[in-house]
Amino acid sequence: MTRVRESGQFTATHDAFWAAAIESRGRSEGTRALIEVLLLHRRLPDEAVVAGMKAVLEAGSVSPDLVAIEARKAVAAAGGPPPVVIAPQATAAEPDTAEPAEPEADSAQVISLPQRRPALPPDSRPEPSLAAYGQLLSIQPKGSA
């Protein structure tokens, strides 16, 4: 770690993000958040990831997902490919009839991420019952009584 810090790859922004993540989530979960951010360096330029961490820290968050979003926005602002935004699908109960609002030029836009789990079908099984276990309480173990 010392060698990485001396080389300049682990910046003061990384340290600040890690400290904030530990304070917010605890040592174990905070370190996991930092590791998720460090893995972003594999896919995004270092400058973009650092810019993403700075933006997220300024917003008072330590979410690795938000760091990824902000880093992609920094890549797009530098002339890279635009970020891909996947919006949640509208359900039949609430059709998507509203026109999307244009974001203001000087304000950040919050993007809702879709759930990562697939929708499960309804469960048609009956509610569980503990009535059958009551009879186990009346059985005496061998060698007792």
Side-chain angles (χ1 to χ4, degrees), residues 57-115:
L57 286 171
E58 287 174 11
S61 177
V62 290
S63 169
D65 290 335
L66 291 179
V67 172
I69 290 169
E70 291 296 329
R72 288 185 187 106
K73 285 169 55 176
V75 168
V84 177
V85 177
I86 302 172
Q89 295 178 351
T91 61
E94 50 183 76
D96 188 16
T97 57
E99 290 293 320
E102 290 294 320
E104 295 178 21
D106 59 345
S107 68
Q109 182 181 12
V110 176
I111 302 171
S112 296
L113 298 176
Q115 289 289 333

CSV table of all heavy atoms in Angstrom, one decimal, residues 57-115:
chain,number,residue,atom,x,y,z
A,57,LEU,N,-18.3,12.5,-2.7
A,57,LEU,CA,-18.0,13.0,-1.4
A,57,LEU,C,-18.6,14.4,-1.1
A,57,LEU,O,-19.1,14.6,0.0
A,57,LEU,CB,-16.4,13.0,-1.2
A,57,LEU,CG,-15.7,11.7,-1.0
A,57,LEU,CD1,-14.2,11.8,-1.0
A,57,LEU,CD2,-16.2,11.0,0.3
A,58,GLU,N,-18.6,15.2,-2.1
A,58,GLU,CA,-19.2,16.5,-2.0
A,58,GLU,C,-20.7,16.4,-1.8
A,58,GLU,O,-21.3,17.3,-1.1
A,58,GLU,CB,-18.9,17.4,-3.2
A,58,GLU,CG,-17.5,17.9,-3.3
A,58,GLU,CD,-17.2,18.6,-4.6
A,58,GLU,OE1,-18.1,18.9,-5.4
A,58,GLU,OE2,-16.0,18.8,-4.9
A,59,ALA,N,-21.3,15.4,-2.3
A,59,ALA,CA,-22.7,15.2,-2.1
A,59,ALA,C,-23.0,14.5,-0.8
A,59,ALA,O,-24.2,14.4,-0.4
A,59,ALA,CB,-23.3,14.3,-3.3
A,60,GLY,N,-22.0,14.1,-0.1
A,60,GLY,CA,-22.2,13.5,1.2
A,60,GLY,C,-22.5,12.0,1.2
A,60,GLY,O,-23.1,11.5,2.1
A,61,SER,N,-22.1,11.3,0.1
A,61,SER,CA,-22.4,9.9,0.0
A,61,SER,C,-21.1,9.2,-0.1
A,61,SER,O,-20.0,9.7,-0.4
A,61,SER,CB,-23.2,9.7,-1.3
A,61,SER,OG,-23.5,8.3,-1.5
A,62,VAL,N,-21.2,7.8,0.0
A,62,VAL,CA,-20.0,7.0,-0.2
A,62,VAL,C,-20.4,5.7,-1.1
A,62,VAL,O,-19.9,4.7,-0.9
A,62,VAL,CB,-19.4,6.5,1.1
A,62,VAL,CG1,-18.6,7.6,1.8
A,62,VAL,CG2,-20.4,5.9,2.0
A,63,SER,N,-21.4,5.9,-1.9
A,63,SER,CA,-21.9,4.9,-2.7
A,63,SER,C,-21.0,4.6,-3.9
A,63,SER,O,-20.8,5.5,-4.8
A,63,SER,CB,-23.3,5.2,-3.2
A,63,SER,OG,-23.7,4.3,-4.2
A,64,PRO,N,-20.5,3.4,-4.1
A,64,PRO,CA,-19.7,3.0,-5.3
A,64,PRO,C,-20.5,3.2,-6.6
A,64,PRO,O,-19.9,3.5,-7.6
A,64,PRO,CB,-19.3,1.6,-5.0
A,64,PRO,CG,-19.4,1.4,-3.5
A,64,PRO,CD,-20.5,2.3,-3.1
A,65,ASP,N,-21.8,2.9,-6.5
A,65,ASP,CA,-22.6,3.0,-7.7
A,65,ASP,C,-22.6,4.5,-8.2
A,65,ASP,O,-22.6,4.8,-9.4
A,65,ASP,CB,-24.0,2.5,-7.5
A,65,ASP,CG,-24.1,1.0,-7.3
A,65,ASP,OD1,-23.2,0.3,-7.9
A,65,ASP,OD2,-25.1,0.6,-6.7
A,66,LEU,N,-22.7,5.4,-7.2
A,66,LEU,CA,-22.7,6.8,-7.6
A,66,LEU,C,-21.4,7.3,-8.1
A,66,LEU,O,-21.3,8.1,-9.0
A,66,LEU,CB,-23.1,7.7,-6.4
A,66,LEU,CG,-24.6,7.6,-5.9
A,66,LEU,CD1,-24.9,8.5,-4.7
A,66,LEU,CD2,-25.5,7.9,-7.1
A,67,VAL,N,-20.3,6.7,-7.5
A,67,VAL,CA,-19.0,7.0,-8.0
A,67,VAL,C,-18.9,6.6,-9.5
A,67,VAL,O,-18.3,7.3,-10.4
A,67,VAL,CB,-17.9,6.3,-7.2
A,67,VAL,CG1,-16.5,6.5,-7.8
A,67,VAL,CG2,-17.8,6.9,-5.8
A,68,ALA,N,-19.4,5.4,-9.8
A,68,ALA,CA,-19.4,4.9,-11.2
A,68,ALA,C,-20.1,5.8,-12.1
A,68,ALA,O,-19.7,6.2,-13.2
A,68,ALA,CB,-19.9,3.5,-11.3
A,69,ILE,N,-21.3,6.3,-11.7
A,69,ILE,CA,-22.1,7.2,-12.5
A,69,ILE,C,-21.4,8.5,-12.7
A,69,ILE,O,-21.3,9.0,-13.9
A,69,ILE,CB,-23.5,7.5,-11.8
A,69,ILE,CG1,-24.3,6.2,-11.9
A,69,ILE,CG2,-24.2,8.6,-12.5
A,69,ILE,CD1,-25.6,6.2,-11.1
A,70,GLU,N,-20.8,9.1,-11.7
A,70,GLU,CA,-20.1,10.3,-11.8
A,70,GLU,C,-18.9,10.2,-12.6
A,70,GLU,O,-18.5,11.1,-13.4
A,70,GLU,CB,-19.8,10.9,-10.4
A,70,GLU,CG,-21.0,11.4,-9.6
A,70,GLU,CD,-21.7,12.6,-10.3
A,70,GLU,OE1,-21.1,13.4,-11.0
A,70,GLU,OE2,-23.0,12.7,-10.1
A,71,ALA,N,-18.2,9.1,-12.5
A,71,ALA,CA,-17.0,8.8,-13.3
A,71,ALA,C,-17.3,8.7,-14.8
A,71,ALA,O,-16.6,9.3,-15.6
A,71,ALA,CB,-16.3,7.6,-12.8
A,72,ARG,N,-18.4,8.1,-15.1
A,72,ARG,CA,-18.9,8.0,-16.5
A,72,ARG,C,-19.3,9.4,-17.0
A,72,ARG,O,-19.0,9.7,-18.2
A,72,ARG,CB,-20.0,7.0,-16.6
A,72,ARG,CG,-19.5,5.6,-16.5
A,72,ARG,CD,-20.6,4.6,-16.7
A,72,ARG,NE,-20.2,3.2,-16.4
A,72,ARG,CZ,-20.5,2.6,-15.3
A,72,ARG,NH1,-21.4,3.1,-14.5
A,72,ARG,NH2,-20.1,1.4,-15.1
A,73,LYS,N,-19.9,10.2,-16.2
A,73,LYS,CA,-20.2,11.5,-16.6
A,73,LYS,C,-18.9,12.3,-16.9
A,73,LYS,O,-18.9,13.2,-17.8
A,73,LYS,CB,-21.1,12.2,-15.5
A,73,LYS,CG,-22.5,11.7,-15.5
A,73,LYS,CD,-23.3,12.2,-14.3
A,73,LYS,CE,-23.4,13.6,-14.0
A,73,LYS,NZ,-24.3,13.9,-12.9
A,74,ALA,N,-17.9,12.1,-16.1
A,74,ALA,CA,-16.6,12.8,-16.3
A,74,ALA,C,-16.0,12.4,-17.6
A,74,ALA,O,-15.4,13.2,-18.3
A,74,ALA,CB,-15.7,12.6,-15.1
A,75,VAL,N,-16.1,11.1,-17.9
A,75,VAL,CA,-15.6,10.6,-19.2
A,75,VAL,C,-16.3,11.3,-20.4
A,75,VAL,O,-15.7,11.7,-21.3
A,75,VAL,CB,-15.7,9.1,-19.3
A,75,VAL,CG1,-15.4,8.6,-20.7
A,75,VAL,CG2,-14.7,8.4,-18.3
A,76,ALA,N,-17.7,11.3,-20.2
A,76,ALA,CA,-18.5,12.0,-21.3
A,76,ALA,C,-18.1,13.4,-21.4
A,76,ALA,O,-18.1,14.0,-22.5
A,76,ALA,CB,-19.9,11.8,-21.0
A,77,ALA,N,-17.9,14.1,-20.3
A,77,ALA,CA,-17.6,15.6,-20.4
A,77,ALA,C,-16.2,15.8,-21.0
A,77,ALA,O,-16.0,16.9,-21.6
A,77,ALA,CB,-17.6,16.2,-19.0
A,78,ALA,N,-15.3,14.8,-20.9
A,78,ALA,CA,-14.0,15.0,-21.5
A,78,ALA,C,-14.0,14.6,-23.0
A,78,ALA,O,-12.9,14.5,-23.6
A,78,ALA,CB,-13.0,14.1,-20.7
A,79,GLY,N,-15.2,14.2,-23.5
A,79,GLY,CA,-15.2,13.9,-24.9
A,79,GLY,C,-15.3,12.4,-25.2
A,79,GLY,O,-15.1,12.0,-26.3
A,80,GLY,N,-15.4,11.6,-24.1
A,80,GLY,CA,-15.5,10.1,-24.3
A,80,GLY,C,-16.9,9.7,-24.7
A,80,GLY,O,-17.7,10.6,-24.9
A,81,PRO,N,-17.1,8.4,-24.8
A,81,PRO,CA,-18.4,8.0,-25.1
A,81,PRO,C,-19.4,8.3,-24.0
A,81,PRO,O,-19.1,8.4,-22.9
A,81,PRO,CB,-18.3,6.4,-25.2
A,81,PRO,CG,-17.1,6.1,-24.4
A,81,PRO,CD,-16.2,7.3,-24.5
A,82,PRO,N,-20.7,8.7,-24.4
A,82,PRO,CA,-21.7,9.1,-23.4
A,82,PRO,C,-22.0,7.9,-22.5
A,82,PRO,O,-22.0,6.8,-22.9
A,82,PRO,CB,-22.9,9.5,-24.2
A,82,PRO,CG,-22.7,8.8,-25.5
A,82,PRO,CD,-21.2,8.7,-25.8
A,83,PRO,N,-22.4,8.2,-21.3
A,83,PRO,CA,-22.8,7.1,-20.3
A,83,PRO,C,-24.1,6.5,-20.8
A,83,PRO,O,-25.0,7.2,-21.4
A,83,PRO,CB,-23.0,7.8,-19.0
A,83,PRO,CG,-23.2,9.2,-19.3
A,83,PRO,CD,-22.5,9.5,-20.6
A,84,VAL,N,-24.3,5.2,-20.6
A,84,VAL,CA,-25.5,4.5,-20.9
A,84,VAL,C,-26.4,4.5,-19.7
A,84,VAL,O,-26.0,4.2,-18.6
A,84,VAL,CB,-25.2,3.0,-21.3
A,84,VAL,CG1,-26.5,2.3,-21.5
A,84,VAL,CG2,-24.3,3.0,-22.5
A,85,VAL,N,-27.6,5.0,-19.8
A,85,VAL,CA,-28.6,5.1,-18.7
A,85,VAL,C,-29.7,4.1,-19.0
A,85,VAL,O,-30.3,4.1,-20.0
A,85,VAL,CB,-29.2,6.5,-18.6
A,85,VAL,CG1,-30.2,6.5,-17.5
A,85,VAL,CG2,-28.1,7.5,-18.4
A,86,ILE,N,-29.8,3.2,-18.1
A,86,ILE,CA,-30.9,2.2,-18.2
A,86,ILE,C,-32.0,2.5,-17.2
A,86,ILE,O,-31.8,2.5,-16.0
A,86,ILE,CB,-30.3,0.7,-17.8
A,86,ILE,CG1,-29.2,0.4,-18.8
A,86,ILE,CG2,-31.4,-0.3,-17.9
A,86,ILE,CD1,-28.5,-0.9,-18.5
A,87,ALA,N,-33.1,2.9,-17.7
A,87,ALA,CA,-34.2,3.3,-16.9
A,87,ALA,C,-35.1,2.1,-16.6
A,87,ALA,O,-35.2,1.2,-17.4
A,87,ALA,CB,-35.1,4.4,-17.6
A,88,PRO,N,-35.7,2.1,-15.4
A,88,PRO,CA,-36.5,1.0,-15.0
A,88,PRO,C,-37.7,0.9,-16.0
A,88,PRO,O,-38.2,2.0,-16.4
A,88,PRO,CB,-37.0,1.3,-13.6
A,88,PRO,CG,-36.3,2.5,-13.2
A,88,PRO,CD,-35.5,3.1,-14.3
A,89,GLN,N,-38.2,-0.3,-16.3
A,89,GLN,CA,-39.3,-0.4,-17.2
A,89,GLN,C,-40.6,0.0,-16.5
A,89,GLN,O,-40.8,-0.3,-15.3
A,89,GLN,CB,-39.5,-1.9,-17.6
A,89,GLN,CG,-38.3,-2.3,-18.4
A,89,GLN,CD,-38.5,-3.8,-18.8
A,89,GLN,OE1,-39.3,-4.5,-18.3
A,89,GLN,NE2,-37.6,-4.3,-19.7
A,90,ALA,N,-41.5,0.6,-17.2
A,90,ALA,CA,-42.8,1.0,-16.6
A,90,ALA,C,-43.7,-0.2,-16.6
A,90,ALA,O,-43.7,-1.0,-17.5
A,90,ALA,CB,-43.4,2.1,-17.5
A,91,THR,N,-44.4,-0.3,-15.5
A,91,THR,CA,-45.3,-1.4,-15.3
A,91,THR,C,-46.7,-1.1,-16.0
A,91,THR,O,-47.0,0.1,-16.3
A,91,THR,CB,-45.6,-1.8,-13.9
A,91,THR,OG1,-46.1,-0.6,-13.2
A,91,THR,CG2,-44.2,-2.1,-13.2
A,92,ALA,N,-47.5,-2.1,-16.1
A,92,ALA,CA,-48.8,-1.9,-16.7
A,92,ALA,C,-49.7,-1.0,-15.9
A,92,ALA,O,-50.6,-0.3,-16.4
A,92,ALA,CB,-49.5,-3.2,-17.0
A,93,ALA,N,-49.5,-1.0,-14.6
A,93,ALA,CA,-50.3,-0.2,-13.6
A,93,ALA,C,-50.0,1.3,-13.8
A,93,ALA,O,-50.8,2.1,-13.6
A,93,ALA,CB,-50.1,-0.6,-12.2
A,94,GLU,N,-48.8,1.6,-14.1
A,94,GLU,CA,-48.4,3.0,-14.3
A,94,GLU,C,-47.7,3.2,-15.6
A,94,GLU,O,-46.5,3.1,-15.8
A,94,GLU,CB,-47.5,3.4,-13.1
A,94,GLU,CG,-46.3,2.5,-12.9
A,94,GLU,CD,-45.5,2.9,-11.7
A,94,GLU,OE1,-45.9,2.7,-10.6
A,94,GLU,OE2,-44.4,3.5,-11.9
A,95,PRO,N,-48.5,3.5,-16.7
A,95,PRO,CA,-47.9,3.7,-18.0
A,95,PRO,C,-47.0,4.9,-18.0
A,95,PRO,O,-47.3,5.9,-17.3
A,95,PRO,CB,-49.1,3.8,-18.9
A,95,PRO,CG,-50.2,4.3,-18.0
A,95,PRO,CD,-49.9,3.7,-16.6
A,96,ASP,N,-46.0,4.9,-18.9
A,96,ASP,CA,-45.1,6.0,-19.0
A,96,ASP,C,-45.6,7.0,-20.0
A,96,ASP,O,-45.2,6.9,-21.2
A,96,ASP,CB,-43.7,5.4,-19.4
A,96,ASP,CG,-42.6,6.5,-19.3
A,96,ASP,OD1,-42.9,7.6,-18.7
A,96,ASP,OD2,-41.6,6.3,-19.9
A,97,THR,N,-46.5,7.9,-19.6
A,97,THR,CA,-47.1,8.9,-20.5
A,97,THR,C,-46.4,10.2,-20.4
A,97,THR,O,-46.6,11.1,-21.2
A,97,THR,CB,-48.6,9.0,-20.3
A,97,THR,OG1,-48.8,9.4,-18.9
A,97,THR,CG2,-49.3,7.7,-20.6
A,98,ALA,N,-45.7,10.4,-19.3
A,98,ALA,CA,-45.1,11.7,-19.1
A,98,ALA,C,-43.8,11.9,-19.9
A,98,ALA,O,-43.1,10.9,-20.1
A,98,ALA,CB,-44.7,11.9,-17.6
A,99,GLU,N,-43.6,13.1,-20.4
A,99,GLU,CA,-42.4,13.4,-21.2
A,99,GLU,C,-41.3,13.5,-20.2
A,99,GLU,O,-41.4,14.1,-19.1
A,99,GLU,CB,-42.6,14.7,-22.0
A,99,GLU,CG,-43.6,14.5,-23.1
A,99,GLU,CD,-43.1,13.6,-24.2
A,99,GLU,OE1,-41.9,13.7,-24.5
A,99,GLU,OE2,-43.9,12.8,-24.7
A,100,PRO,N,-40.1,13.0,-20.5
A,100,PRO,CA,-39.0,13.2,-19.6
A,100,PRO,C,-38.6,14.7,-19.5
A,100,PRO,O,-38.6,15.4,-20.5
A,100,PRO,CB,-37.8,12.4,-20.2
A,100,PRO,CG,-38.3,12.1,-21.7
A,100,PRO,CD,-39.8,12.2,-21.7
A,101,ALA,N,-38.3,15.1,-18.3
A,101,ALA,CA,-37.9,16.5,-18.1
A,101,ALA,C,-36.5,16.7,-18.6
A,101,ALA,O,-35.6,15.9,-18.4
A,101,ALA,CB,-38.1,16.9,-16.7
A,102,GLU,N,-36.2,17.9,-19.2
A,102,GLU,CA,-34.9,18.2,-19.6
A,102,GLU,C,-34.1,18.6,-18.3
A,102,GLU,O,-34.6,19.4,-17.6
A,102,GLU,CB,-34.9,19.4,-20.6
A,102,GLU,CG,-35.5,19.0,-21.9
A,102,GLU,CD,-34.6,18.0,-22.7
A,102,GLU,OE1,-33.4,18.1,-22.6
A,102,GLU,OE2,-35.2,17.0,-23.2
A,103,PRO,N,-32.9,18.0,-18.2
A,103,PRO,CA,-32.1,18.4,-17.0
A,103,PRO,C,-31.6,19.8,-17.1
A,103,PRO,O,-31.3,20.3,-18.2
A,103,PRO,CB,-31.0,17.4,-17.0
A,103,PRO,CG,-30.8,16.9,-18.4
A,103,PRO,CD,-32.2,17.0,-18.9
A,104,GLU,N,-31.5,20.5,-16.0
A,104,GLU,CA,-30.9,21.9,-16.0
A,104,GLU,C,-29.4,21.8,-16.3
A,104,GLU,O,-28.8,20.9,-15.8
A,104,GLU,CB,-31.2,22.6,-14.7
A,104,GLU,CG,-32.7,22.8,-14.4
A,104,GLU,CD,-32.9,23.5,-13.1
A,104,GLU,OE1,-32.0,24.1,-12.6
A,104,GLU,OE2,-34.0,23.4,-12.6
A,105,ALA,N,-28.9,22.8,-17.0
A,105,ALA,CA,-27.5,22.7,-17.4
A,105,ALA,C,-26.6,22.8,-16.2
A,105,ALA,O,-25.5,22.3,-16.2
A,105,ALA,CB,-27.2,23.9,-18.4
A,106,ASP,N,-26.9,23.5,-15.1
A,106,ASP,CA,-26.0,23.7,-14.0
A,106,ASP,C,-26.3,22.9,-12.8
A,106,ASP,O,-25.8,23.1,-11.7
A,106,ASP,CB,-26.0,25.2,-13.6
A,106,ASP,CG,-27.4,25.7,-13.2
A,106,ASP,OD1,-28.4,25.0,-13.5
A,106,ASP,OD2,-27.4,26.8,-12.6
A,107,SER,N,-27.2,21.9,-12.9
A,107,SER,CA,-27.5,21.0,-11.8
A,107,SER,C,-27.3,19.6,-12.1
A,107,SER,O,-27.5,19.2,-13.3
A,107,SER,CB,-29.0,21.2,-11.3
A,107,SER,OG,-29.9,20.8,-12.2
A,108,ALA,N,-27.0,18.8,-11.2
A,108,ALA,CA,-26.8,17.3,-11.4
A,108,ALA,C,-28.1,16.6,-11.4
A,108,ALA,O,-29.1,17.1,-10.8
A,108,ALA,CB,-25.9,16.8,-10.2
A,109,GLN,N,-28.2,15.6,-12.2
A,109,GLN,CA,-29.4,14.8,-12.3
A,109,GLN,C,-29.3,13.5,-11.6
A,109,GLN,O,-28.2,12.8,-11.7
A,109,GLN,CB,-29.7,14.6,-13.8
A,109,GLN,CG,-31.0,13.8,-14.0
A,109,GLN,CD,-31.3,13.6,-15.5
A,109,GLN,OE1,-30.4,13.8,-16.3
A,109,GLN,NE2,-32.4,13.2,-15.8
A,110,VAL,N,-30.3,13.1,-10.8
A,110,VAL,CA,-30.2,11.8,-10.1
A,110,VAL,C,-30.8,10.8,-11.0
A,110,VAL,O,-31.9,11.0,-11.6
A,110,VAL,CB,-31.0,11.9,-8.8
A,110,VAL,CG1,-31.1,10.6,-8.1
A,110,VAL,CG2,-30.4,12.9,-7.8
A,111,ILE,N,-30.2,9.7,-11.2
A,111,ILE,CA,-30.6,8.6,-12.1
A,111,ILE,C,-31.0,7.4,-11.2
A,111,ILE,O,-30.1,6.9,-10.4
A,111,ILE,CB,-29.5,8.2,-13.1
A,111,ILE,CG1,-29.1,9.4,-13.9
A,111,ILE,CG2,-30.0,7.1,-14.0
A,111,ILE,CD1,-27.9,9.2,-14.8
A,112,SER,N,-32.2,6.9,-11.3
A,112,SER,CA,-32.6,5.7,-10.6
A,112,SER,C,-32.1,4.5,-11.3
A,112,SER,O,-32.3,4.3,-12.5
A,112,SER,CB,-34.1,5.6,-10.5
A,112,SER,OG,-34.6,6.7,-9.8
A,113,LEU,N,-31.4,3.6,-10.5
A,113,LEU,CA,-30.9,2.4,-11.0
A,113,LEU,C,-32.0,1.3,-10.9
A,113,LEU,O,-32.7,1.3,-9.9
A,113,LEU,CB,-29.6,2.0,-10.3
A,113,LEU,CG,-28.5,2.9,-10.4
A,113,LEU,CD1,-27.3,2.4,-9.5
A,113,LEU,CD2,-28.0,3.1,-11.8
A,114,PRO,N,-32.1,0.4,-11.9
A,114,PRO,CA,-33.1,-0.6,-11.8
A,114,PRO,C,-32.7,-1.7,-10.7
A,114,PRO,O,-31.5,-1.8,-10.4
A,114,PRO,CB,-33.1,-1.3,-13.2
A,114,PRO,CG,-31.7,-1.0,-13.7
A,114,PRO,CD,-31.3,0.4,-13.1
A,115,GLN,N,-33.7,-2.4,-10.2
A,115,GLN,CA,-33.4,-3.4,-9.3
A,115,GLN,C,-32.5,-4.5,-10.0
A,115,GLN,O,-32.7,-4.7,-11.2
A,115,GLN,CB,-34.7,-4.1,-8.8
A,115,GLN,CG,-35.5,-3.3,-7.9
A,115,GLN,CD,-34.8,-3.1,-6.5
A,115,GLN,OE1,-34.1,-4.0,-6.1
A,115,GLN,NE2,-35.1,-2.0,-5.9
